[in-house]
Amino acid sequence: MNMKCSVILLAFTVSYASGISNRSFPADFKFGVTTAAYQIEGGWNEDGKGESLWDWYTHTYPDRIQGGTNADVTCDSYHKYKEDIEILKDLGVNFYRLSIAWSRILPEGTVNHVNQAGVDYYRTVFQLLIDNGIVPVVTLYHWDVPLTLSEIGGWTNPLLVDYFADYARLAFELFGDQVKQWHTFNEPQSFCMLSYQGPLRKAPGYDLPAEAVYQCNYVVLKAHAKAYHIYDDEFRQKQQGNISIVLVAHWKEPASDSDADKEGQNLALQFEMGLLANPIFNGNWPQVAIDRVAERSKLEGYPRSRLPEFTQEEIDYIKGTADYFGLNHYTTELVSFAYNVTNVTEYPSFDADRGVLRTTDPSWPQSNMTWLRSVPWGFRKMLNWIDQSYGHPAILVTENGWADDGTSREDPQRISYIQDYLTALLEAIYDDGVNVIGYSQWSIYDNFEWLSGYMAKFGLVYVDFSSPNRTRTPKSSYYYYQKIIKTKCLVDTCDAA
Ligand code: GBH
């Protein structure tokens, strides 16, 4: 590891002048970094690991991934975890948010066959983290469903509720003495809404009518709730941990002051965040989604709404199944109202149901991912909207980060993004009274960025993918984040908390 301490005092001084907060983070505020198994581990078929959906997808359709690449090796964290944890320790994070590859411990997805080598791997990693004073925060599902379960329909098949629940129970049994903070799913929005429809599709990459999108949300919500109740009923008392889910949304700013665009803002937020968060925090789908999808389904000749209906029992079972709000947030988009409820389409789509057009403002600083621009005030609005919509929950920011092409170890844009977004977060805490309890950067390393392959880099640490050793080298943002964690302050000196 190359730990040359680069001088970034210049960055502090420049930003301080441009409105970076000089308030201290609350004393008990927690800082972390996030990764996902498929994106960093490699070892895709080693020591008995089964094939996952993304192994299959990248191998079968290299043309759908930029550069035709895959994550067979990626950062090689399956072998390099010791070095990884040394870096985490040096960085000084309070927690490390990582995920378990389901098919590494259950090669076929089902609990009749447990792969002991996979269990040993995660137990070793969790123990090393604990020994180094780093809290493991573990996601059970970050998009890599075992291929066998994908082939029977994946998250559109209600059987997955029980398969996921079995896997979750096993994980609590195997790792619950080490892991005290669990997330069931990472961003159902991303794998339900971006896998079954639209031009740029994540695995399995089908193009199906909107039913698939809703059915996926429906199954995932039930699977999440079942895992939550298993933890609550069978493990919580003994293990004393907590459990939640990670949801994502870009902030939606109305493109104009018109009432129509304000309605568009509401639709976009409810169809993206609300579809998942409302059942968990308030009970049932958002009413606007129930009404709109029912009406449109009827006009399109369906015998019933394509949004599945929850029974009262299911509503009660799902409601209240999160110990806090896990939020991934990166950016903001502009929305304008596009489709009246009566404006039916020939091929019913989730997009038309949601009924908005999404654009961006070209003046917002652009990363090297088309969807990601720096809009820190949108983060503050998002935090406030969650606070107001879901009953003032504690919010853990489970991901936030900036992409560049990764060619330079000097990354002043990433530093600015962190300064600006954390300033917005401090404003939400101190000026607006939002209960934000922690923050995690995506990501510690440059890694495999799904459809973008290795073309987009989110790391605080550069990884040399051309060397067999996958050499890790901290970027200037790494040292800046290290300083924030140490001083709880974004600038040289802060006011006391
Ligand atoms: C996170 O999702 C993921 O959890 C993580 O695995 C990933 O590496 C990281 O972001 C960086 O991308 O092209 O207009 O359809 C971020 C949220 C939501 C961002 C969906 C991309 C697609 C926008 N993602 N979005 S679009």
Side-chain angles (χ1 to χ4, degrees):
M1 170 175 46
N2 174 2
M3 280 285 188
K4 263 185 293 154
C5 220
S6 54
V7 179
I8 49 161
L9 289 172
L10 185 65
F12 298 170
T13 323
V14 169
S15 327
Y16 185 64
S18 65
I20 304 306
S21 177
N22 66 346
R23 288 142 139 181
S24 292
F25 286 86
D28 54 355
F29 192 87
K30 302 285 188 266
F31 288 99
V33 284
T34 300
T35 60
Y38 184 70
Q39 295 177 273
I40 66 155
E41 280 182 6
W44 76 280
N45 61 356
E46 277 184 60
D47 301 336
K49 178 179 169 295
E51 194 172 357
S52 80
L53 172 63
W54 274 88
D55 293 323
W56 169 81
Y57 197 59
T58 54
H59 295 157
T60 311
Y61 299 108
D63 50 304
R64 298 194 187 174
I65 314 291
Q66 279 192 53
T69 50
N70 57 52
D72 289 359
V73 180
T74 181
C75 304
D76 199 20
S77 290
Y78 184 61
H79 298 107
K80 293 176 69 74
Y81 61 89
K82 282 191 192 136
E83 183 179 337
D84 286 354
I85 294 171
E86 271 171 41
I87 295 174
L88 293 171
K89 189 173 188 199
D90 178 78
L91 179 58
V93 286
N94 308 113
F95 67 91
Y96 177 40
R97 177 174 168 240
L98 71 168
S99 77
I100 294 175
W102 184 343
S103 66
R104 198 179 287 292
I105 63 170
L106 300 175
E108 295 88 27
T110 47
V111 291
N112 56 310
H113 173 197
V114 178
N115 178 34
Q116 191 56 41
V119 175
D120 294 345
Y121 170 71
Y122 290 112
R123 282 204 67 87
T124 306
V125 169
F126 298 151
Q127 197 54 47
L128 207 50
L129 287 167
I130 294 164
D131 293 345
N132 282 285
I134 301 162
V135 173
V137 175
V138 176
T139 303
L140 290 169
Y141 186 74
H142 201 122
W143 311 355
D144 47 355
V145 67
L147 185 60
T148 41
L149 298 185
S150 181
E151 286 180 334
I152 59 166
W155 295 107
T156 60
N157 185 342
L159 285 174
L160 270 272
V161 174
D162 285 333
Y163 288 127
F164 181 76
D166 295 342
Y167 160 53
R169 178 184 284 107
L170 182 75
F172 303 148
E173 274 164 13
L174 291 170
F175 309 119
D177 58 326
Q178 300 173 310
V179 177
K180 305 295 174 188
Q181 199 171 342
W182 296 96
H183 294 132
T184 52
F185 289 92
N186 181 69
E187 299 184 355
Q189 290 99 334
S190 293
F191 63 85
C192 290
M193 294 164 197
L194 300 168
S195 303
Y196 298 120
Q197 273 206 338
L200 261 182
R201 290 190 300 278
K202 296 189 154 91
Y206 301 146
D207 196 7
L208 301 170
E211 275 88 339
V213 173
Y214 299 125
Q215 178 67 15
C216 177
N217 284 313
Y218 180 65
V219 171
V220 165
L221 279 164
K222 293 212 265 189
H224 159 76
K226 188 152 189 181
Y228 181 93
H229 286 293
I230 288 172
Y231 191 74
D232 221 28
D233 297 342
E234 302 171 28
F235 297 92
R236 194 196 289 277
Q237 212 186 353
K238 183 151 174 259
Q239 298 183 350
Q240 297 288 314
N242 53 41
I243 175 163
S244 187
I245 186 169
V246 171
L247 304 179
V248 64
H250 304 335
W251 175 246
K252 313 293 177 190
E253 189 68 8
S256 82
D257 272 348
S258 72
D259 287 346
D261 287 352
K262 284 183 196 148
E263 174 54 14
Q265 173 189 40
N266 182 48
L267 283 172
L269 286 166
Q270 293 300 350
F271 271 81
E272 290 173 42
M273 186 54 94
L275 227 39
L276 276 300
N278 210 75
I280 294 173
F281 289 90
N282 297 340
N284 209 352
W285 308 111
Q287 195 58 46
V288 65
I290 295 175
D291 294 345
R292 234 182 110 91
V293 181
E295 176 76 8
R296 292 173 62 78
S297 302
K298 196 164 128 201
L299 292 169
E300 285 156 350
Y302 283 70
R304 68 190 82 85
S305 177
R306 61 180 155 265
L307 183 66
E309 200 177 323
F310 286 119
T311 63
Q312 189 58 45
E313 203 184 333
E314 288 171 337
I315 293 171
D316 297 340
Y317 186 72
I318 296 168
K319 186 178 170 184
T321 55
D323 294 337
Y324 54 85
F325 199 112
L327 172 69
N328 286 359
H329 178 84
Y330 288 81
T331 195
T332 286
E333 50 195 17
L334 297 173
V335 289
S336 41
F337 187 79
Y339 294 92
N340 276 318
V341 74
T342 52
N343 198 199
V344 296
T345 51
E346 207 174 311
Y347 193 69
S349 76
F350 173 75
D351 261 346
D353 284 350
R354 173 175 50 183
V356 302
L357 278 182
R358 298 142 65 214
T359 56
T360 57
D361 181 332
S363 74
W364 297 338
Q366 167 85 56
S367 76
N368 93 325
M369 302 221 60
T370 46
W371 57 269
L372 175 48
R373 291 172 184 268
S374 177
V375 195
W377 52 263
F379 184 31
R380 182 173 171 184
K381 289 190 181 191
M382 189 81 230
L383 290 167
N384 274 276
W385 186 83
I386 289 170
D387 181 71
Q388 284 154 23
S389 305
Y390 304 114
H392 188 54
I395 302 173
L396 177 66
V397 179
T398 37
E399 284 179 35
N400 170 252
W402 181 256
D404 53 30
D405 66 5
T407 46
S408 173
R409 304 312 91 85
E410 296 299 320
D411 53 350
Q413 280 192 323
R414 180 169 291 104
I415 290 176
S416 300
Y417 178 90
I418 294 172
Q419 289 174 320
D420 294 341
Y421 272 67
L422 285 177
T423 292
L425 183 151
L426 287 166
E427 287 165 354
I429 293 178
Y430 290 121
D431 298 328
D432 310 332
V434 180
N435 184 17
V436 190
I437 57 174
Y439 171 90
S440 193
Q441 250 292 303
W442 183 271
S443 181
I444 177 70
Y445 318 114
D446 292 345
N447 60 47
F448 180 77
E449 179 50 37
W450 309 111
L451 299 179
S452 302
Y454 298 96
M455 307 299 271
K457 302 285 170 53
F458 280 87
L460 301 172
V461 174
Y462 169 85
V463 176
D464 181 359
F465 291 101
S466 66
S467 96
N469 197 31
R470 297 298 193 270
T471 314
R472 280 94 159 119
T473 311
K475 304 178 190 177
S476 50
S477 58
Y478 173 96
Y479 296 106
Y480 179 57
Y481 195 51
Q482 183 183 52
K483 187 235 167 228
I484 297 174
I485 298 170
K486 198 164 164 210
T487 63
K488 301 221 166 219
C489 173
L490 300 175
V491 292
D492 287 339
T493 13
C494 270
D495 294 343

